[in-house]
Amino acid sequence: METGNLVSFRPDIKVLDATIRDGGLVNNFAFSDEFVKDLYHANIKAGVDYMEFGYRADKSIFSVDDFGKWKFCNEEDIRSIVGDNNTDLKIAVMTDVGRTDYKNDVIPKSESVVDLIRVATYVHQIPTAIDMIEDAKNKGYEVSVNIMAVSKVNDQDITNCLEELSKSSADIIYLVDSFGAFYPEQIRSLTDKYMNVAERCGKKIGIHAHNNQQLAFASTIEALTHGASYLDATVCGMGRGAGNCFMESLLGFLKNPKYSLSPIMDLVSKHMIDMKKDYTWGYDIPYLLTGVLNSHPSTAIKFIKDGRTDYSKFQQELLDL
């Protein structure tokens, strides 16, 4: 395990921009090509290591008329932004267990500009997730697996899940705080648990945090302090509900001279200020309550959409769930 201090940098750290994928849950993936291209070039200039373009969703389940194109991440759409991507920035897409026709829609790496396939799974879906991992690995990709909603899973089930994944071909296993429910002390303990598996089987650990309790950045740096090396963030924290770790905060914290904050600041000035006028995300009291009570943020999203402000009543509703 590599460690550092506040004035050093960790050469093993990799930063992944998830703005299009997690942010797409805010605006139904309706990003303009101009924005995606500007984000791509900003990430290159900022030294970001990976850019996640969105999901590769099954079109027999999700209608292309109901979503923007980054719900599906067609190869030609990605190439329209990056060409052959002759840069150091790697391209990622997410495949969701039960929502991706991975046998057909994940083409061989030799035919794709994508570098990393991210498999998103719940603990009870692990057997299918492992099949997806092996499929992507056999096709030539780097592969990560995001174990979602672990704040709802008992310790023994997490242990069993990690043991199964340790035997898979996944390169990276992600600790995911889906509901923004964890505190740094819990992140520390879980990261140690994940790292024990990673060090034994030669894998890396990543962290994907949500900001329900305004702890996404704190959780991210806590995890990296304990050995996590793949760090997810989004510009202005854009993501479902309360959003994610702010890319601006993360790049400002990391000491590796390859990272530069200025290109992201320029993108914020050009795009994000206006985008926040059209779409709502980020910390708010309803998301705080779902985080404190370890509940899915969908209830808070509806609460805000309905224009409600009866927070005490909402708290009681969550307690009754």
Side-chain angles (χ1 to χ4, degrees), residues 180 210-219 242 283-284 288:
H210 280 261
N211 207 35
N212 299 62
Q213 299 185 82
Q214 302 195 86
L215 290 171
F217 175 52
S219 294
Y283 169 80
D284 203 344
L288 168 66

Side-chain angles (χ1 to χ4, degrees), residues 7-288:
V7 295
S8 65
F9 78 88
R10 291 251 308 276
D12 61 314
I13 290 294
K14 305 293 182 186
V15 174
L16 184 143
D17 170 58
T19 306
I20 302 300
R21 202 273 307 163
D22 216 318
L25 299 170
V26 175
N27 67 357
N28 231 21
F29 303 91
F31 294 101
S32 68
D33 284 355
E34 179 192 16
F35 174 78
V36 177
K37 287 179 181 177
D38 285 351
L39 178 60
Y40 170 69
H41 290 294
N43 279 325
I44 293 169
K45 292 177 182 176
V48 169
D49 301 281
Y50 292 82
M51 178 174 168
E52 185 178 40
F53 270 70
Y55 290 97
R56 186 151 287 173
D58 187 342
K59 293 173 187 172
S60 69
I61 299 175
F62 301 97
S63 171
V64 295
D65 296 327
D66 295 337
F67 299 91
K69 57 190 173 184
W70 305 114
K71 178 76 171 178
F72 307 99
C73 284
N74 295 327
E75 184 71 22
E76 60 270 24
D77 290 329
I78 299 175
R79 286 184 180 273
S80 73
I81 302 296
V82 309
D84 290 330
N85 188 36
N86 296 315
T87 75
D88 292 332
L89 177 69
K90 293 186 177 182
I91 305 300
V93 299
M94 180 165 280
T95 59
D96 232 339
V97 173
R99 299 178 178 182
T100 301
D101 182 9
Y102 61 98
K103 296 287 188 182
N104 295 308
D105 288 344
V106 177
I107 62 177
K109 167 59 187 152
S110 59
E111 302 171 16
S112 176
V113 74
V114 173
D115 301 285
L116 171 66
I117 298 294
R118 307 226 295 171
V119 176
T121 183
Y122 293 103
V123 166
H124 69 276
Q125 300 170 316
I126 287 297
T128 303
I130 290 174
D131 192 59
M132 294 172 70
I133 290 166
E134 301 307 324
D135 179 80
K137 196 66 179 177
N138 289 336
K139 289 173 178 174
Y141 293 95
E142 297 176 50
V143 186
S144 68
V145 56
N146 287 31
I147 315 170
M148 299 183 291
V150 290
S151 60
K152 289 286 192 180
V153 179
N154 67 57
D155 186 68
Q156 186 58 54
D157 284 345
I158 295 175
T159 297
N160 293 340
C161 174
L162 290 172
E163 186 59 34
E164 291 301 311
L165 290 173
S166 75
K167 296 179 285 189
S168 77
S169 297
D171 300 292
I172 311 123
I173 302 173
Y174 264 86
L175 166 57
V176 183
D177 185 7
S178 299
F179 303 156
F182 287 132
Y183 296 100
E185 183 178 1
Q186 294 167 297
I187 291 290
R188 184 185 316 146
S189 175
L190 280 166
T191 303
D192 289 343
K193 186 182 188 72
Y194 280 52
M195 285 301 301
N196 285 336
V197 173
E199 292 177 330
R200 174 164 49 85
C201 59
K203 301 185 186 305
K204 299 293 187 180
I205 295 302
I207 174 74
H208 180 92
H210 280 261
N211 207 35
N212 299 62
Q213 299 185 82
Q214 302 195 86
L215 290 171
F217 175 52
S219 294
T220 300
I221 62 176
E222 188 71 23
L224 80 87
T225 299
H226 285 261
S229 52
Y230 280 70
L231 314 176
D232 284 13
T234 63
V235 178
C236 286
M238 187 179 188
R240 183 198 64 195
N244 303 89
C245 175
F246 278 62
M247 180 66 77
E248 304 91 285
S249 299
L250 184 60
L251 294 184
F253 172 82
L254 295 173
K255 301 304 184 288
N256 190 331
K258 71 167 284 193
Y259 296 124
S260 173
L261 184 57
S262 295
I264 302 300
M265 294 290 92
D266 290 338
L267 184 90
V268 171
S269 298
K270 182 175 180 180
H271 290 287
M272 303 308 293
I273 295 171
D274 288 337
M275 195 175 291
K276 286 188 73 74
K277 295 176 184 176
D278 297 326
Y279 304 106
T280 301
W281 73 87
Y283 169 80
D284 203 344
I285 290 175
Y287 297 126
L288 168 66

Side-chain angles (χ1 to χ4, degrees), residues 286-287 296-308 314:
Y287 297 126
H296 196 286
S298 59
T299 51
I301 293 170
K302 184 177 187 304
F303 180 94
I304 293 170
K305 188 175 292 186
D306 290 345
R308 291 175 59 184
F314 180 57

